[in-house]
Amino acid sequence: MITNDPIILLSEVSLKVGRDSILNQVNADIRAGEFIGIFGPNGSGKTTLVRALLGLIPIAAGTMALFGEPVKRGSRLIGYMPQAITTCETARLSVRAMIMAVQAGERWGMPWNKAAAVQEVDEVLELVELRHLAEIPFYQLSGGEKQRVQLAQALLGKPRLLVLDEPLASLDPYHQQQLVSIIENVKKITGATILFIAHDINPLLHVIDRIWYLAGGKAALGTLEEVLSNNVLSHLYNASMHVIRAEGRIFIVNAESNVLENTCCGHSHA
Amino acid sequence: MLDYLHYEFVRHALFAGSLAAILGAIVGYFVVLRNVGFAVHALAHIGFTGATGAAMLGLTSLEGMLAIAVVAGITIGAIGERLQRSDVAIGMVLSVALGIGMLFLSLYQGFSGQATSILFGNIFGITYEQIIQMLFLFLVTVTLLLIGSRRLLFASLHPDLAEARGISLTYLSMSFMLLIAVAVSLASQVVGILLVFALVIGPASIATRWTRYFWSGFFGSIAISLVTVWSGIFLACVTNWPPSFWITGILFLSYIATEIIKR
């Protein structure tokens, strides 16, 4: 269900990491209920953009608003699923205990959890179809299950925006599809807006409403047809790019060097 | 067994041992959750320099150790996880710390008898003044730890998320290392700096193997630690063998048994 309220509004936003300029003059408006896929080569600024949305890095220029307010750190309206899985082999806490630690984790005092809080943990585990593994030590889970635990904690507090930082990285195609359909289902039930960062477009082709493509310090937001064109991508990469569609899959290649990741001639991969 | 309680030094040993056991177990549980066991090892060795140097300044070995371990702890916290991976650098610093400690020992004539108690502990030699000092440190440290425990647990298990919610990982790490420094100094009074690793890490790592929730691991760690220290002191009274031997021995056997059963 997509409404017309802009939930994320970027106007001429530039982002820097140290002195390096990562993104320049980015404009975007994302409406409530959209499923947005964020793509781009390594170092194109996907993670930097997420960190800015979370309020972890300052905005070098322009304005960025979430839910009609300036971005602030620690917003409870955002559920964030970080990129790295924190494998604490030595901790050996159960899946439920791992998620309980996230609830109001920034508060002072001792980690007592009320019954209602424990109930909520089981609800988010239900959403990611892991309720049956609640008592299992986290470290014993498979890679795909660990990612679902990461997703489950992001759902605590019923956030209106989910920011998922490369949840498909390091998963095989089968588990990628499984996670994507779980996320699709979560979206159906909660109605949350989703920003999904991924390296490869193909596993997400059938679920995304629009894509946000970052490359060469620039960004383009639009439907698949609008963004995945030779002209738009060539402008982003500042190189001659081709979009190849074959058997329902999409490939993006650099006409000069054949390989997407090797297009370092024109722009910085910082 | 109760006969031994007529001796003041046994009562002192039990009281000081309990303080060290509880604090060591609580700090150790977070050390295991965060997987920073190297810090316990490092701070104990660096503390040796302070403990031996203290005599030259007219301080007690606890005061000397505390001073240097706290500075070293805050430094380790500020440098962060990079340090954990540079085991050569750690090894070099620890070696030179022990070397300087030896120098202090030799410079201060008549102090060499103290070396054994610093290295291996001297729980039966603890005075009333030391107990008061330990009690004060214990209360301050445990209070601080409990106030910060919710944040510490969150940031230990989910550092990226904690950062996104506005927790400074560096400050948190520095604060926690400071508390480790106090716990290590206190526990060294009981088992000495060479054996302190077992008393701080042992009960917690055994407890995490048997439990799946924070509070069960937390109290399990304290229980194992207390029972071990009390048994060690009692067995030392009966056998006249050093309590440090019994404490580390019991922990080692419990650890081996846990590893076999829970493999």
Side-chain angles (χ1 to χ4, degrees):
Chain A
M1 175 186 71
I2 300 169
T3 67
N4 283 327
D5 329 328
I7 203 168
I8 303 174
L9 204 57
L10 273 70
S11 164
E12 298 292 307
V13 167
S14 297
L15 298 174
K16 287 181 178 180
V17 173
R19 283 186 197 160
D20 295 327
S21 186
I22 305 293
L23 286 169
N24 293 306
Q25 294 166 341
V26 176
N27 291 296
D29 72 325
I30 290 164
R31 283 155 294 167
E34 279 196 285
F35 194 132
I36 305 284
I38 302 180
F39 306 99
N42 286 335
S44 58
K46 301 187 295 271
T47 298
T48 307
L49 179 63
V50 165
R51 290 178 66 82
L53 286 167
L54 293 171
L56 296 179
I57 55 168
I59 293 153
T63 57
M64 188 184 267
L66 290 180
F67 307 103
E69 285 172 25
V71 169
K72 66 172 194 296
R73 193 169 168 171
S75 166
R76 304 315 304 270
L77 296 170
I78 307 178
Y80 169 53
M81 177 175 173
Q83 190 168 4
I85 306 173
T86 33
T87 44
C88 27
E89 280 277 318
T90 52
R92 292 165 196 275
L93 291 171
S94 67
V95 168
R96 191 184 279 127
M98 285 290 288
I99 299 181
M100 274 160 61
V102 180
Q103 287 176 313
E106 71 282 0
R107 234 185 266 156
W108 295 103
M110 287 178 272
W112 295 115
N113 292 61
K114 295 200 181 94
V118 181
Q119 174 70 32
E120 194 200 3
V121 170
D122 287 355
E123 281 165 21
V124 295
L125 279 174
E126 192 74 59
L127 276 175
V128 301
E129 295 163 29
L130 278 184
R131 179 70 177 77
H132 60 293
L133 297 182
E135 289 291 318
I136 301 292
F138 177 77
Y139 80 100
Q140 287 177 357
L141 300 186
S142 70
E145 289 162 348
K146 281 181 180 165
Q147 287 296 66
R148 278 148 71 188
V149 173
Q150 290 276 78
L151 174 64
Q153 63 72 23
L155 299 173
L156 289 171
K158 301 195 167 49
R160 287 165 59 193
L161 172 65
L162 284 178
V163 178
L164 315 175
D165 196 354
E166 299 230 25
L168 302 184
S170 77
L171 293 183
D172 59 52
Y174 172 77
H175 287 103
Q176 288 189 349
Q177 276 313 328
Q178 190 189 36
L179 188 60
V180 168
S181 63
I182 284 173
I183 292 170
E184 204 184 355
N185 196 36
V186 162
K187 184 178 179 309
K188 217 176 279 170
I189 295 171
T190 65
T193 309
I194 295 185
L195 295 186
F196 193 123
I197 298 180
H199 205 75
D200 182 11
I201 296 173
N202 291 300
L204 295 171
L205 279 179
H206 62 285
V207 293
I208 45 181
D209 295 313
R210 289 198 291 166
I211 74 172
W212 202 355
Y213 204 103
L214 313 183
K218 299 187 277 281
L221 175 66
T223 62
L224 277 171
E225 291 71 30
E226 285 165 358
V227 175
L228 295 185
S229 73
N230 294 357
N231 284 342
V232 171
L233 290 182
S234 297
H235 171 71
L236 287 181
Y237 278 92
N238 206 13
S240 177
M241 302 300 291
H242 286 259
V243 178
I244 297 168
R245 290 163 208 264
E247 299 189 19
R249 290 166 63 82
I250 293 176
F251 301 92
I252 296 159
V253 291
N254 183 336
E256 285 134 45
S257 71
N258 286 328
V259 185
L260 184 85
E261 297 304 326
N262 291 347
T263 51
C264 315
C265 10
H267 63 272
S268 150
H269 267 259
Chain B
M1 179 184 177
L2 288 175
D3 291 346
Y4 295 113
L5 292 179
H6 293 307
Y7 298 103
E8 191 180 45
F9 72 91
V10 175
R11 290 201 301 271
H12 282 178
L14 279 172
F15 192 75
S18 303
L19 293 181
I22 296 170
L23 181 58
I26 297 176
V27 169
Y29 186 59
F30 283 104
V31 167
V32 171
L33 287 183
R34 294 173 71 83
N35 201 11
V36 289
F38 79 98
V40 173
H41 201 71
L43 291 175
H45 281 62
I46 292 168
F48 179 68
T49 317
T52 56
M56 301 174 65
L57 299 171
L59 300 170
T60 65
S61 63
L62 174 61
E63 289 161 351
M65 177 160 187
L66 205 56
I68 202 157
V70 162
V71 173
I74 292 173
T75 312
I76 291 174
I79 295 171
E81 286 183 3
R82 272 169 296 152
L83 199 64
Q84 196 163 0
R85 289 191 285 273
S86 55
D87 41 351
V88 175
I90 293 174
M92 291 300 290
V93 171
L94 298 197
S95 303
V96 80
L98 284 179
I100 295 170
M102 271 313 292
L103 173 69
F104 288 157
L105 271 183
S106 69
L107 287 178
Y108 191 79
Q109 297 297 323
F111 188 60
S112 292
Q114 289 283 332
T116 321
S117 63
I118 293 171
L119 289 172
F120 299 102
N122 182 21
I123 194 173
F124 287 134
I126 286 182
T127 63
Y128 182 73
E129 288 70 31
Q130 278 174 296
I131 284 189
I132 298 301
Q133 215 171 22
M134 286 175 77
L135 182 64
F136 173 74
L137 286 172
F138 172 88
L139 290 175
V140 171
T141 315
V142 170
T143 307
L144 289 175
L145 249 175
L146 290 182
I147 290 174
S149 57
R150 190 177 189 111
R151 285 189 151 213
L152 190 58
L153 175 68
F154 177 40
S156 304
L157 300 178
H158 309 270
D160 296 329
L161 282 174
E163 201 188 10
R165 292 248 195 105
I167 295 178
S168 160
L169 297 182
T170 308
Y171 285 135
L172 189 88
S173 177
M174 285 164 73
S175 319
F176 181 58
M177 287 292 167
L178 190 153
L179 299 181
I180 297 181
V182 179
V184 164
S185 306
L186 210 73
S188 297
Q189 301 297 304
V190 177
V191 288
I193 63 153
L194 289 183
L195 314 179
V196 77
F197 186 84
L199 185 56
V200 174
I201 305 289
S205 55
I206 295 166
T208 51
R209 293 287 252 162
W210 292 94
T211 58
R212 290 178 179 179
Y213 285 91
F214 173 79
W215 286 109
S216 50
F218 182 90
F219 287 118
S221 177
I222 293 175
I224 294 168
S225 190
L226 277 176
V227 169
T228 305
V229 169
W230 291 339
S231 317
I233 291 170
F234 173 68
L235 288 167
C237 290
V238 174
T239 59
N240 239 349
W241 291 1
S244 299
F245 161 76
W246 284 113
I247 291 169
T248 50
I250 293 167
L251 284 171
F252 180 72
L253 289 180
S254 317
Y255 179 73
I256 294 291
T258 300
E259 287 293 312
I260 291 170
I261 297 168
K262 286 284 174 180
R263 202 149 56 94

